[in-house]
Amino acid sequence: MLSKRARDVKPSPTLAIDAKAKALKAAGVDIVNFGVGEPDFDTPENVKDAAVRALREGFTKYTPAGGTDALKDAIAAKLKKDNGLEYSRDEIVVSCGAKHSLYNAAQALFGPGDEVIVPAPYWVSYPDQILLNDATPVIVKTSEADGFVLLPEAFEAAVTPRTKALILNSPSNPTGSAYDRKALERVADVACRRNVFVISDEIYEKLVYDGAEHASIASLSKEMRERTLVVNGLSKSHAMTGWRIGYAAGPKPVIKAMTDIQSQSTSNPNSIAQKAAVEALAGPQDSVAAMRTEFDARRRFLVDALNSLPGLSCRTPNGAFYAFPNCSRLYGKRAGDRKIAGSSDLAIYFLEEARVALVPGSAFGDGAFVRLSYATSMENVKKGVERIREALSRLA
Ligand code: PMP
Ligand code: GLU
């Protein structure tokens, strides 16, 4: 009965683990949830107030399918101020989350026979979105030793006449790596020489640490601007995961196609959330900085703690809110009848025996690792680490 695409698609593993952790919690099990990448902070008050005002004013009707002019203008101003990029309204589309922008981009750009280069470890939805649009993901491994950054030689070796695009994600989910300008320039050089379009997912832009500075690959040159679709959103920067507002900026024909696809599928993103998003982008930004400071403190604590645990080693990520420790030294160990053969076994072991939810690296294309989201309180981070320590002491 089901289409091939429906038979092939996998549910998002990150959302699946979150659902499992939340179900256990609802059943009264005290779970520490390092699973999902969702800020634990509340949406800033000024943003919520803007939504309440929108409701009261009756801003509850359809808007243009690709978003309101007011929000597009706020996005254009943000892209100019933060990224040095200039876009007009018809070069911007507002979607129901960055995930939706990425999906619409895949719909607009990919088809049978196309190859799309995805550096691994990758965010879970990229390969499935490519497959859902009948194209082929070409996974290019990056290494821990190189800071999980895509090297130009590896990128270039993966380019074929069928290559349609590269999906770049900096700062990265799951590795937490933020590319520096030099690394971006090397990628851009290959993209320009080999005529590869770049989808640049910059949703963790506001979360960089240790003096790292976010740069958009689109801002490196006029040519890169013409061959890049910048994707961003409010979920991570403004703790607005549930509001479902994301956006894309890029060449007019791509934006028009994405907007038309949207007009035939979801219509506009939620009108009230769009008003709130204008306030999030144009209003005071102090809550963004405050959240970043708190994430940074947790990052430092968690990475140090993970490195103090037997069998784990964790490089210090300079972006996003994920720690990505290497666990491969634990593989082959046992706890009673249970054998830990890889990252899935380890994640199940921690969930069942330590009441700690985290995501196996296999979900991101590298089973040597697991991902812990530190978008949870410092108290939980400390509690979770102690539980992991105790569970590890039972492995032999
Ligand atoms: N890209 C990456 C790398 C992410 O981690 C997320 C978070 N789920 C998204 C895109 C999508 O975010 P949203 O749809 O909530 O805007
Ligand atoms: N991006 C988050 C994560 O990786 C949210 C889950 C999802 O959208 O898949 O955990």
Side-chain angles (χ1 to χ4, degrees), residues 12 14-15 35-37 99 123-125 173 204 236 322 371:
S12 160
T14 42
L15 293 181
V36 77
K99 192 185 273 185
W123 180 48
V124 293
S125 292
N173 175 5
Y204 294 99
K236 319 290 171 173
Y322 304 104
R371 188 194 80 175

Side-chain angles (χ1 to χ4, degrees), residues 97-99 102 123 126 169 173 201 203-204 235-236 244 322:
K99 192 185 273 185
L102 288 162
W123 180 48
Y126 301 143
N169 176 215
N173 175 5
D201 180 348
I203 192 139
Y204 294 99
S235 286
K236 319 290 171 173
R244 310 309 304 134
Y322 304 104

Side-chain angles (χ1 to χ4, degrees), residues 318-331:
N318 60 348
F321 42 53
Y322 304 104
F324 200 58
N326 190 321
C327 307
S328 52
R329 276 186 290 149
L330 296 172
Y331 302 161

